[in-house]
Amino acid sequence: MEFFADTADVEAIRELGEAGLIDGVTTNPTLVAKTGRDFLSVIGEICAITEGPVSAEVASTDFTGMVAEGERLADIAGNVVIKLPLTLDGLKACAHFRRVGIRTNVTLCFSAAQAILAAKAGASYVSPFIGRMDDINLDGVALIRDIRRIFDNYGFETKLLAASIRSPNHVTRSALAGADVATCPPTVIKSLVAHPLTEKGLHGFLSDWKRSGQSIV
Ligand code: E4P
């Protein structure tokens, strides 16, 4: 499973990248607004420190506007992936970018039927928002499982990107359900490392080592 950082915080991306923990980045207008910085510069900086795909979202809602904005974003760097909303115009724009060889991430997916449309339009990624589904008492992980099965049934090549992840449990359950990628806030990626028995075990090893009076270097 690949991990993407779901953030526009350049320093957080740098830290996770240096630790070798991420394969790409996703952003959205809310995450960019939180930084208070200029959108195009932030995306440029993220692309410069990230080898993998960086999703940058259009703000227009009509086909012509999405194509113009997507072309501008794609000019920033070769690893930009154009993020498009799951609307008819978004799907039309997706098919357009597929024809010209620019990768896309179709976002705001909340049903298997929507995911089929994204795959048929040639999306590189489709992003079901599992946390937002759980928030309203729907089963986000069940949606990942359904989409996986459908994509495998028909050989769709669109990557299944579990988004709106809130916890380590979401990550594990999405992996079991067959997501290709999980995009997570940096806090969630870092929290995956924590286990009380790891901490307790390390504490025990260190105190025994200290008692032995030895040193390695
Ligand atoms: C996905 O690409 C989105 O940026 C993101 O996962 C949305 O998550 P949220 O529901 O926490 O805003």
Side-chain angles (χ1 to χ4, degrees), residues 105-154:
N105 174 357
V106 174
T107 189
L108 291 167
C109 173
F110 292 93
S111 77
Q114 288 181 316
I116 295 172
L117 289 180
K120 289 180 75 67
S124 314
Y125 299 90
V126 65
S127 293
F129 277 33
I130 66 173
R132 292 193 194 188
M133 292 188 70
D134 288 2
D135 289 347
I136 57 163
N137 219 22
L138 296 172
D139 189 342
V141 173
L143 175 60
I144 299 288
R145 202 174 300 118
D146 287 350
I147 297 172
R148 174 79 282 146
R149 187 161 166 203
I150 292 167
F151 281 12
D152 289 348
N153 282 349
Y154 294 97

Side-chain angles (χ1 to χ4, degrees), residues 116-202:
I116 295 172
L117 289 180
K120 289 180 75 67
S124 314
Y125 299 90
V126 65
S127 293
F129 277 33
I130 66 173
R132 292 193 194 188
M133 292 188 70
D134 288 2
D135 289 347
I136 57 163
N137 219 22
L138 296 172
D139 189 342
V141 173
L143 175 60
I144 299 288
R145 202 174 300 118
D146 287 350
I147 297 172
R148 174 79 282 146
R149 187 161 166 203
I150 292 167
F151 281 12
D152 289 348
N153 282 349
Y154 294 97
F156 285 131
E157 286 175 6
T158 299
K159 293 244 166 111
L160 179 45
L161 197 171
S164 184
I165 282 189
R166 310 256 196 260
S167 65
N169 202 28
H170 267 158
V171 176
T172 311
R173 293 177 61 226
S174 295
L176 286 168
D180 296 298
V181 189
T183 190
C184 315
T187 46
V188 171
I189 295 178
K190 285 188 189 170
S191 71
L192 296 176
V193 80
H195 196 288
L197 290 181
T198 304
E199 280 162 38
K200 190 178 169 201
L202 183 60

Side-chain angles (χ1 to χ4, degrees), residues 40-118:
L40 299 179
S41 331
V42 172
I43 297 298
E45 267 184 52
I46 296 173
C47 288
I49 59 167
T50 308
E51 274 184 31
V54 174
S55 290
E57 190 158 343
V58 298
S60 286
T61 53
D62 65 295
F63 170 75
T64 310
M66 287 185 202
V67 168
E69 290 178 0
E71 283 170 353
R72 175 73 186 86
L73 294 170
D75 276 347
I76 295 176
N79 55 340
V80 166
V81 171
I82 309 305
K83 212 170 175 191
L84 300 160
L86 215 158
T87 59
L88 269 186
D89 279 53
L91 293 172
K92 272 171 67 181
C94 176
H96 164 81
F97 285 120
R98 164 75 177 201
R99 281 193 290 273
V100 299
I102 292 175
R103 289 180 295 170
T104 53
N105 174 357
V106 174
T107 189
L108 291 167
C109 173
F110 292 93
S111 77
Q114 288 181 316
I116 295 172
L117 289 180

Side-chain angles (χ1 to χ4, degrees), residues 5-20:
D6 195 26
T7 183
D9 179 338
V10 174
E11 281 322 306
I13 293 166
R14 196 189 307 279
E15 186 190 6
L16 291 170
E18 282 170 2

